[in-house]
Amino acid sequence: MAGRRTFFFEGLGVSEGIAIGPAYVIESEDFRTESWQIEESEVEAELQRFHEAVGLAAEELRGIRQQVLEKIDRQQASIFDAHLLILEDPQIVDETVRRIRHERRNAEAVLWEVTQQIGEMMKSLGDSYFAERNHDLYDVSRRVIKFLLRIYAESHPALPREGCIVVANGLGPAETAQFSKDHVLGICTNEGAATSHAAIMAKAFSIPACVGLEHITHYIRSGDMLVLDGGEGKVILNPTADQIEFYREKGEVWKKRLESLRTLRDVPAITLDGVTISMMANLEFPEELDTVDLNGAEGIGLFRTEFMYLERTSLPTEEEHLRSYGHVLAKLGDKPVVMRTIDIGGDKLPSDQPVHEFNPFMGVRAIRLCLQRPDLFRAQLRAMAMAHAGRELNIMIPMISGLTELRESRNILDDILERLDREGVNPPSKVNLGAMIEIPSAALQTRTLCEEADFLSIGTNDLVQYTLAVDRVNKAVASLYRQTHPAVLQLISMVVEGAKETRTPVSVCGEMASDPKLAVLLVGLGIRSLSMSPSSIGAVKQVLRGLSCADAEAIAAEALRQDTPEDVEVLLHFRLKELQAKIDHEPVG
Ligand code: PEP
Ligand code: MG
């Protein structure tokens, strides 16, 4: 590393742990285009790649234009006509072709340079009309380059990622899950926030990760040496020998702490005054089951079933669902499982499929999609029921906004159970239908929902997003995404109180449950069942075992009286400091 400057990047640590190793940069639409020379004999193939990418971009634009025309109006669709015209503009296309031939360089680098030249020229005209066209020009070029990179990647097999730290603009949950199979050391991205699904996946697979690092992809090239601290959200490019040594030691300390927390695997999460908190795990992929067992989860409080739909173009069949659920249930033995029906949409779409909704988190997501596509919903519900033959079935519906969706789900489920009965299929021993509380309207209607729901589970990741109107994956508003916002705490408290009359069980399965400090707050608010990333169970259990429920209730009552998230955080910090100091001095166990 001698002679190379050291750079520091600060972002958001979303999955604890230290990674030290070479970078593997995944180029994306928001990239720094690499430029390379090509041989004379490669020029024609390069031009063909360019024309193919232009053709694919045009096809994609026509598809989007058609959708916009059908769903919105002609005026909005005409934006894409303008984009298609840019694609045919000889100033861009012919100039790019001429320069690829003349300079013998790759298409993406040349196209980007041509775009920048024309863009600068348009900007110099200082006219708002041209400023707008400038924006369109860059947009179209990026679209072509996206296809160029894909065509390149198809003909150049990917370098092995094993043993590398992946650096990318942003990642989807499916790609992140793939990294675990590829044995990557760590992940860092320009975009992302703590509760984006990619972050949740990284934590699930214990891959150290930092997100929201702004422009890190602009500074790092594949092969550069990196240190990543997933707890603190730090990345160091070209670390010194001393820094490497420091972080290696820090990594060892962290691993030892994890091991020591695992000694808590078989002890219950019981507070000093004898209140037992049920510690459940969130499961995103069947491959995680070993970590569930390793960390001593009492069951699965949230089985996210979206993995069945990721990285594929066709829908999973009933048999595929059945096989997969059967495998998970067999591995879990008699531990309880809460199966969530699919929550596709938002940021959980396969990342290579263009999203045609302008606001997917508010769009056709989760139960909304299921009710629009009963074929998809029914296949999943049937498989869930069949997989639970002779065993208790807990089904949970995401994105419930009110009673109607819960009722419609119940009607479909009842119909499926009746049909299975007529077919002579062995039924579940009991069927419970639960609602996720992740939209404020549902929280406000807790009493009404409890008349018909068998249980509730609070999805704080979305509850925070929808209560505060803060996109959970948008880095630009990440500082406004506050789990400690008094409005969020009040809604949680309202749900707990509302469910009391009917004695409807309430748990929390959002990321709040994974944070020991916030878990104390949740217990203080009356939650007795927490479902979290399996790797967090030890740390949460340790804190809960070190205080009394009465302490937690006093802290929560005080928190509810605060005015701002900052006030709540300061309060939590000081109230827990004494308790924490006590815990740190006691041996684990
Ligand atoms: C939540 O919203 O808190 C939740 C658990 O669901 P997901 O993160 O899958 O949206
Ligand atoms: Mg959710």
Side-chain angles (χ1 to χ4, degrees), residues 327-577:
H327 162 74
V328 170
L329 293 174
K331 265 202 121 169
L332 283 167
D334 54 8
K335 286 185 176 166
V337 183
V338 178
M339 312 275 300
R340 181 175 74 178
T341 55
I342 48 159
D343 186 359
I344 298 276
D347 67 333
K348 280 182 273 187
L349 287 163
S351 60
D352 57 349
Q353 267 183 29
V355 178
H356 294 306
E357 282 191 304
F358 289 109
N359 204 344
F361 273 119
M362 301 262 188
V364 189
R365 185 187 158 188
I367 187 59
R368 300 172 183 182
L369 177 74
C370 288
L371 294 175
Q372 282 186 16
R373 291 285 310 269
D375 55 327
L376 208 138
F377 196 32
R378 282 179 169 269
Q380 189 177 36
L381 290 178
R382 261 180 76 92
M384 284 180 175
M386 287 194 282
H388 282 74
R391 125 180 225 157
E392 187 161 333
L393 168 63
N394 302 299
I395 293 184
M396 177 158 86
I397 312 288
M399 285 280 288
I400 289 285
S401 66
L403 193 57
T404 312
E405 288 143 346
L406 185 67
R407 270 192 190 151
E408 286 181 33
S409 306
R410 169 89 68 189
N411 288 343
I412 295 173
L413 179 62
D414 285 348
D415 180 57
I416 285 169
L417 293 170
E418 264 170 44
R419 281 171 197 245
L420 286 174
D421 188 42
R422 283 203 297 274
E423 288 169 31
V425 175
N426 191 7
S429 58
K430 186 164 186 255
V431 178
N432 302 311
L433 183 67
M436 279 194 80
I437 305 294
E438 36 190 6
I439 300 182
S441 58
L444 293 164
Q445 280 206 299
T446 298
R447 283 194 173 77
T448 312
L449 287 172
C450 283
E451 296 296 326
E452 299 187 26
D454 298 313
F455 63 94
L456 303 180
S457 186
I458 307 179
T460 52
N461 304 338
D462 278 314
L463 187 62
V464 173
Q465 158 166 270
Y466 296 123
T467 303
L468 306 181
V470 177
D471 182 340
R472 66 193 261 190
V473 296
N474 185 346
K475 160 88 181 63
V477 287
S479 62
L480 298 173
Y481 186 95
R482 304 293 276 272
Q483 295 167 320
T484 47
H485 196 294
V488 172
L489 304 185
Q490 276 158 27
L491 282 174
I492 296 173
S493 168
M494 193 179 277
V495 175
V496 173
E497 292 308 313
K500 268 186 187 155
E501 270 169 38
T502 44
R503 294 170 173 262
T504 307
V506 183
S507 66
V508 169
C509 63
E511 286 301 293
M512 260 181 105
S514 294
D515 181 322
K517 286 205 284 296
L518 302 182
V520 170
L521 208 47
L522 293 172
V523 168
L525 289 170
I527 299 289
R528 295 291 175 266
S529 172
L530 299 170
S531 191
M532 67 198 81
S533 170
S535 58
S536 304
I537 292 179
V540 172
K541 213 187 252 188
Q542 188 189 39
V543 171
L544 295 180
R545 285 171 61 84
L547 48 67
S548 69
C549 196
D551 284 336
E553 279 164 4
I555 296 173
E558 220 177 330
L560 280 173
R561 291 194 295 273
Q562 303 303 308
D563 297 328
T564 66
E566 293 77 16
D567 294 340
V568 174
E569 281 154 31
V570 168
L571 171 91
L572 262 181
H573 177 78
F574 285 110
R575 292 288 174 273
L576 288 172
K577 209 169 157 193

Side-chain angles (χ1 to χ4, degrees), residues 127-353:
D127 180 297
S128 66
Y129 172 79
F130 285 112
E132 193 51 40
R133 295 287 76 76
N134 204 2
H135 179 79
D136 291 344
L137 169 71
Y138 277 93
D139 206 57
V140 170
S141 277
R142 271 199 292 268
R143 194 179 297 281
V144 175
I145 290 171
K146 173 178 84 176
F147 284 108
L148 277 169
L149 290 171
R150 266 193 222 166
I151 298 165
Y152 181 79
E154 275 162 22
S155 54
H156 294 72
L159 295 165
R161 297 195 275 229
E162 187 167 345
C164 290
I165 297 176
V166 167
V167 183
N169 182 43
L171 292 168
E175 293 155 300
T176 312
Q178 179 60 36
F179 293 152
S180 140
K181 295 184 190 127
D182 295 347
H183 304 287
V184 307
L185 297 178
I187 295 173
C188 46
T189 59
N190 294 340
E191 294 173 354
T195 60
S196 59
H197 288 97
I200 293 173
M201 293 291 168
K203 198 147 114 186
F205 285 106
S206 302
I207 307 174
C210 296
V211 301
L213 291 150
E214 308 257 341
H215 303 297
I216 193 163
T217 49
H218 289 209
Y219 297 91
I220 294 177
R221 298 292 87 202
S222 288
D224 286 350
M225 185 65 183
L226 300 180
V227 162
L228 180 154
D229 183 337
E232 299 213 345
K234 275 195 192 130
V235 176
I236 309 177
L237 167 62
N238 299 325
T240 63
D242 284 350
Q243 285 162 342
I244 291 181
E245 192 45 34
F246 173 82
Y247 281 97
R248 210 183 293 284
E249 273 175 27
K250 187 170 178 189
E252 287 305 314
V253 171
W254 179 74
K255 272 192 205 141
K256 285 213 179 82
R257 177 166 155 76
L258 265 193
E259 276 158 27
S260 102
L261 285 174
R262 285 201 178 132
T263 60
L264 291 177
R265 181 182 177 276
D266 298 318
V267 300
I270 190 158
T271 59
L272 294 176
D273 47 357
V275 176
T276 304
I277 314 298
S278 155
M279 303 297 271
M280 308 286 275
N282 292 350
L283 188 74
E284 352 287 332
F285 286 91
E287 290 86 340
E288 277 176 89
L289 279 169
D290 291 340
T291 59
V292 169
D293 187 49
L294 203 63
N295 291 286
E298 291 158 40
I300 303 297
L302 164 64
F303 183 7
R304 289 184 168 101
T305 55
E306 292 80 57
F307 74 96
M308 294 289 302
Y309 299 79
L310 301 176
E311 279 186 330
R312 55 185 296 160
T313 44
S314 61
L315 288 174
T317 60
E318 185 181 298
E319 289 70 37
E320 283 175 286
H321 280 294
L322 189 55
R323 212 175 313 126
S324 183
Y325 303 155
H327 162 74
V328 170
L329 293 174
K331 265 202 121 169
L332 283 167
D334 54 8
K335 286 185 176 166
V337 183
V338 178
M339 312 275 300
R340 181 175 74 178
T341 55
I342 48 159
D343 186 359
I344 298 276
D347 67 333
K348 280 182 273 187
L349 287 163
S351 60
D352 57 349
Q353 267 183 29

